[in-house]
Every structure is written in structure tokens, then in C-alpha cells.
Amino acid sequence: MSVRVRYAPSPTGLQHIGGVRTALFNYFFAKSSGGKFILRVEDTDRERYSDESLQDLYDTLSWLGIKWDEGPVVGGPYGPYIQSERSDIYRHYAEELVKKGKAYYCYCSQERLEKVREEQIKNKSEYQGYDRHCANLTEEERLEYEKQGIKPVIRLRVPTEGKTTFHDVLMGDITRRNRDISPDPILLKSDGFPTYHLANVIDDHMMGITHIMRAQEWIPSGPLHVLLYEAFGWEVPIYCHLPMVMGKDGQKLSKRHGSTSLRDFREKGYLPEAIINYVTLVGWSLDGSTEFFSKEDLEKCFRLENIHKAPAVFDYKKLDWFNGYYIREKSDEEIAALISPYLEKEGFISPDMNGEEKEKLLRLAHASKERMKVLSDIVPLSSFIFRDQPVEDKATYVAKGSDLEKTITALEKGGDLLISSLKAGVVEKEIEDKLFSLSEELGVKVNGVFQPLRVAITNSTVSLPLFDSISLLGLDETEKRLKRGLSIIRS
Ligand code: GLU
Ligand code: ZN
């Protein structure tokens, strides 16, 4: 059997990181087993649909470098792959179920259904849901409704006896009593649009889907889908519901925990390599110890058997760690290109840089590579170069364990030493040694000397390495800032 899997999102919002994981698992499973990865757009909920969400879906997959073998844009033998373009198919199959007696037309008005519901609540009835009023209409009764021009829905006839079992690769058998399955759910709405259940089952069958990998929140729909497959007389695909994605507190991952939409991660400056690597490890592992996987690795080694059963925790710190790693792996040229949009947005650089500016950007890329967790970190790290905002608060210059008087001496002597040594071409290591000796002379820790220098030069206590900062600023500017710092703390 050749594997065919699908990612079937509904374009009703931005791509969630949990959805991205579902897409990746399906994609890697297809690739590693020589199968096909299909993209299907489940856009039958027209009220919640938005063009922006659909575009976001395409942007997300293309940013990740995930290509679908069949689906919108690329087409394929089982198209169209957008559900709103398949209405005729759903109507045809829903009517076929009616002919077989597995489904029926229901003409109940909204008011009637609401009344039934109210009654059930009032009587604390054990039976909840549709009362199967139209389950056994005679042909005459039906024609009477039709004559009145009432547009019916089509409902599935759910057996009232017996049980339905659906098997999940990870969860095992899940069995429900038929009478606990929602009574006679709507398959086709009166406007001719299918509900999720009908469209999903028909498409998975018609598109030859062999494995259904989707979020665990769809498990409750499982028994109903099995009933639908049985009603059609179709083979049930293999189910594999993926472990939940939780925050550290064990709650379902949400905005409270941090970014959740891929667009957000992207804007903060996570790299696709890091997202792919880390997100695939949320609920999957090869051997429990290997951590680094490229997309190409995963296209080979991803196995269904290695998906975890237990809920998985999304660890933002771990993602940062992977991202830092992939940033350091990049060349200076690549980093320069990646940080440029952030610098441009701040007005720090312009798209038409001259040779000197380009060279400076490369040096900045080199110096900042080790210090960024996400690309947007470049803004606070480098703003001292482009936007000079001196620290006016004297206390910021004073390191722990030092005092203002010592700090003044440190900045004065240290600054002179720095500038004269750099002018004389003394190597960094030696300059550092001299600064260390100065700190001993003053009876302070090394930071007692370095902190005031750093604050005066970079306007911040955290920044790029000191010598990189100086080289990016230039000696004249550095000297000017050292003098200014001194006058601030002396005043
Ligand atoms: N359209 C559903 C969703 O948005 C698909 C669920 C499934 O994969 O069956 O998640
Ligand atoms: Zn009815």
C-alpha cells in the first residue's frame, strides 16, 4: 500500500504552531515512506473563512519549504482540493446515502429544533439532541414539505443499538455506544454546503487517503466518521491522532504561554530550520537522544511508530536554544541578509547601502551571531550604533561591588588606556590584560572597569563584545562617547 496523507486545515485563522506540527508529521511521514503529501483546504465554514487565512496557510508552508504533491495550485488527479469547489460531489454522495436508507431529509425549522431543546432541558431529559422527528417521514409527508418550498437538510441515521469501535494506531481501540453518538447529525446543510464530517469523510475516501494524522481534539468525531464509512460501504483509513501540545503548566498551548501563530514566530525571527527541528520533536523522537535534525534528515527517518502517546510540552526556551544554534550555523552574509529587514524597519539602514555600509553590516552580522536567540534581537543589540541615546543614570555605570569614585577613575584611566592602545595597534588580548591590572589597582572586580566602559560606549549594560562594538563605532566616536560618559558621571 502506498502511503497517502493529507493536511486539511480550515482557513479560519492564522496557522497555529500545533497545526504546523500536524503538517510536518504528515509531510515527513509521506516522504519517509515514499508516499504522497496532499494539501486540502477545508473551507466549508463560510462564516469563519477568510482570504487572509488561506494566504497565511500558503505562506507558512512555503516559508517552511514544505511542498505538497497534490492540492491547490499544483492540482492532482483527485481535485479540486478546495472543499468549497466540491459541493456537487458532497450533494451526490449525501443523496446516495438517502437512497440507501442510511440518511434522510429533515425539514424541521430552527424554531422547532429550539423548542425541542428547551423541552429537553426543562424535563431534564436523559435524551439530548435532535428527536428524529423526520427519520421516518412517508413519501407523502415529504412531498408536502417540498411543496411548501422548505429546503431540507440531510441527516445521518445513527443506529440506536450497538456500538462502534474505531482503532487508533497510538490510542488503541476506542469504542462508543451508538446511542451516545450525536443523534442523527446533519451531513448536508439546507444551503447545499456539507458539514465537516461529510466533506472530510468523502474527501479522505475519494482522495485515497491511507492514514489520517490529525490533532487529538478530533478523536470524539472518530466513531461518527467510522459510521459514515460503514454507511457508504467504504474502507476505514488508519487513524493516528497526535499527542496534544501543551504549555509548561499542562494546559493546552495558548497565547498565554507565548507566540502560537507561525506568523508571530516568523516575525520575531525564528528560522525555518529551528521551527522544523524543534516542532517535530514535540511528540516525536527518533531514539530519545538525537536532537538535531535537518528537514532532509526527517524526510528519511520519520516513523509513525516513534510518535509519542503522551501529551507533549512546548518548551519556548528549547526552541530559542535551537534557533541560536541555527543562527550561529549561518554565514555572515546570510545573517546580514536575515537581519536587514529588522534594521530597515527601525530606520537603522536603508535598502540602498554603499560599499562601506555593506561591509559594516557584515561586521555587525559577524559580531552579533553569537548573541542572538532570535533575529529581532539585533535591534536592541545594535541600536547603539545607529541611534545614540546616552545613559544619563550614573548608577548604571557603577558595577556591583564598586562605587562612583572608583567608577570615575576606571572610566578615565580605562578609557585613556583603551584609546591610546588601540591607536598604537596593541592587540586585544594585551589591552584586556591592562584593563585587568587596572581593576586590581583599583581593588574592584573586572566588571568595575568594563561596565563603565561598556555603558559609555554602547549606552547599555548588555551589548555586543566590547572590541566589536568599538570597531563598529570607529575610534573617534568611541573616544567622544568615553568623554561624554565621564562628564555624565562626574556631574
Ligand atoms: N479541517 C479540520 C481542521 O481544521 C481537519 C481535521 C482533520 O484533519 O480531519 O483541523
Ligand atoms: Zn426534522
Side-chain angles (χ1 to χ4, degrees):
M1 172 178 71
S2 105
V3 165
R4 291 177 58 85
V5 291
R6 76 333 187 248
Y7 178 48
S10 299
T12 54
L14 296 178
Q15 284 293 300
H16 188 278
I17 198 75
V20 167
R21 190 194 58 168
T22 301
L24 290 174
F25 279 23
N26 276 286
Y27 172 79
F28 289 132
F29 177 53
K31 291 289 136 187
S32 63
S33 49
K36 293 268 188 282
F37 173 66
I38 292 135
L39 179 65
R40 183 170 77 226
V41 175
E42 301 209 327
D43 61 344
T44 56
D45 185 345
R46 298 314 286 177
E47 264 156 45
R48 293 175 58 220
Y49 168 85
S50 80
D51 284 336
E52 189 199 0
S53 308
L54 184 60
Q55 191 55 48
D56 180 66
L57 164 67
Y58 295 151
D59 291 348
T60 294
L61 293 177
S62 86
W63 183 75
L64 291 166
I66 302 295
K67 291 202 176 76
W68 50 100
D69 300 302
E70 295 170 27
V73 190
V74 302
Y78 304 100
Y81 293 88
I82 297 187
Q83 288 190 329
S84 58
E85 295 170 12
R86 298 171 64 82
S87 297
D88 293 346
I89 301 174
Y90 307 128
R91 167 165 294 281
H92 168 83
Y93 279 100
E95 280 168 356
E96 195 180 287
L97 282 188
V98 174
K99 277 184 212 131
K100 283 179 158 179
K102 305 279 188 187
Y104 58 87
Y105 293 106
C106 161
Y107 295 87
C108 291
S109 65
Q110 213 46 49
E111 294 78 60
R112 182 178 178 276
L113 295 175
E114 258 152 46
K115 243 206 217 117
V116 169
R117 229 175 70 84
E118 277 164 23
E119 286 289 306
Q120 285 170 348
I121 293 171
K122 207 173 86 199
N123 303 334
K124 298 202 168 64
S125 150
E126 199 194 315
Y127 185 90
Q128 297 277 330
Y130 179 59
D131 63 354
R132 296 192 165 98
H133 177 263
C134 305
N136 297 299
L137 294 182
T138 64
E139 192 55 12
E140 275 156 16
E141 287 168 316
R142 206 179 73 73
L143 287 175
E144 184 52 37
Y145 283 123
E146 289 284 335
K147 244 199 277 165
Q148 291 170 34
I150 302 173
K151 290 246 174 299
V153 301
I154 293 180
R155 289 182 185 273
L156 179 69
R157 205 183 288 280
V158 174
T160 47
E161 305 284 303
K163 296 179 216 169
T164 299
T165 296
F166 98 96
H167 181 76
D168 184 277
V169 180
L170 294 174
M171 313 302 290
D173 279 347
I174 298 177
T175 301
R176 296 232 352 234
R177 292 186 305 185
N178 288 337
R179 64 169 213 241
D180 294 337
I181 296 175
S182 145
D184 298 6
I186 296 174
L187 300 177
L188 200 73
K189 295 180 260 185
S190 54
D191 62 5
F193 263 97
T195 56
Y196 157 71
H197 304 295
L198 181 73
N200 188 268
V201 164
I202 291 177
D203 286 351
D204 282 338
H205 174 74
M206 298 205 36
M207 295 177 182
I209 301 303
T210 56
H211 297 70
I212 295 181
M213 274 193 261
R214 63 182 172 199
Q216 256 181 31
E217 66 196 68
W218 296 102
I219 284 184
S221 303
L224 179 60
H225 290 190
V226 169
L227 280 178
L228 264 170
Y229 281 104
E230 285 171 354
F232 281 118
W234 295 338
E235 197 186 326
V236 182
I238 296 167
Y239 284 102
C240 176
H241 286 88
L242 306 175
M244 297 262 282
V245 182
M246 322 270 243
K248 274 220 145 128
D249 55 0
Q251 302 291 314
K252 197 178 164 195
L253 194 72
S254 75
K255 290 214 178 84
R256 283 186 303 111
H257 299 104
S259 298
T260 53
S261 73
L262 188 95
R263 185 190 282 180
D264 232 32
F265 283 105
R266 203 174 146 177
E267 282 172 359
K268 284 192 176 138
Y270 288 91
L271 299 175
E273 293 91 331
I275 296 279
I276 287 177
N277 192 155
Y278 178 63
V279 171
T280 307
L281 291 178
V282 178
W284 177 89
S285 65
L286 180 67
D287 49 18
S289 60
T290 313
E291 293 204 288
F292 290 104
F293 295 94
S294 68
K295 179 161 156 276
E296 293 68 32
D297 295 335
L298 292 162
E299 285 174 4
K300 291 194 196 86
C301 71
F302 191 90
R303 300 277 175 280
L304 216 59
E305 303 79 74
N306 297 338
I307 298 176
H308 303 164
K309 232 192 253 185
V313 172
F314 194 93
D315 182 345
Y316 287 87
K317 287 229 171 74
K318 189 82 198 218
L319 174 61
D320 283 350
W321 181 80
F322 273 107
N323 207 54
Y325 168 82
Y326 283 105
I327 286 177
R328 293 192 296 278
E329 288 281 283
K330 299 255 177 222
S331 68
D332 294 349
E333 285 77 11
E334 287 169 319
I335 292 295
L338 286 165
I339 59 179
S340 288
Y342 297 93
L343 299 172
E344 277 167 27
K345 202 168 152 219
E346 292 294 319
F348 289 174
I349 62 171
S350 75
D352 38 75
M353 284 177 284
N354 63 31
E356 199 183 314
E357 287 164 327
K358 278 187 193 147
E359 187 268 338
K360 189 166 153 186
L361 177 65
L362 271 182
R363 281 193 290 137
L364 173 60
H366 181 80
S368 53
K369 231 154 66 170
E370 300 283 331
R371 306 225 165 179
M372 286 189 286
K373 285 199 198 99
V374 290
L375 297 169
S376 57
D377 286 344
I378 195 62
V379 172
L381 275 178
S382 69
S383 69
F384 75 95
I385 303 169
F386 307 102
R387 188 195 285 150
D388 185 18
Q389 283 169 328
V391 175
E392 304 285 353
D393 171 38
K394 291 185 204 178
T396 312
Y397 293 77
V398 183
K400 243 205 198 130
S402 185
D403 57 32
L404 189 59
E405 206 181 317
K406 285 178 181 164
T407 301
I408 291 172
T409 319
L411 188 53
E412 183 170 26
K413 290 200 170 169
D416 285 348
L417 202 154
L418 244 185
I419 296 295
S420 59
S421 308
L422 284 168
K423 279 187 180 156
V426 180
V427 293
E428 284 172 19
K429 180 76 192 56
E430 259 174 58
I431 305 178
E432 263 172 14
D433 286 345
K434 290 186 190 185
L435 293 171
F436 290 155
S437 311
L438 176 63
S439 68
E440 274 166 23
E441 254 171 59
L442 292 172
V444 293
K445 297 217 177 91
V446 285
N447 227 10
V449 171
F450 279 88
Q451 181 158 327
L453 291 174
R454 180 183 300 285
V455 174
I457 295 169
T458 70
N459 305 330
S460 163
T461 50
V462 283
S463 66
L464 302 177
L466 188 64
F467 290 105
D468 288 323
S469 303
I470 295 171
S471 125
L472 285 160
L473 275 179
L475 259 190
D476 290 347
E477 178 66 19
T478 303
E479 200 170 355
K480 201 184 94 196
R481 290 192 186 186
L482 285 167
K483 287 206 179 107
R484 180 181 64 194
L486 200 54
S487 71
I488 291 174
I489 54 174
R490 266 191 179 143
S491 65

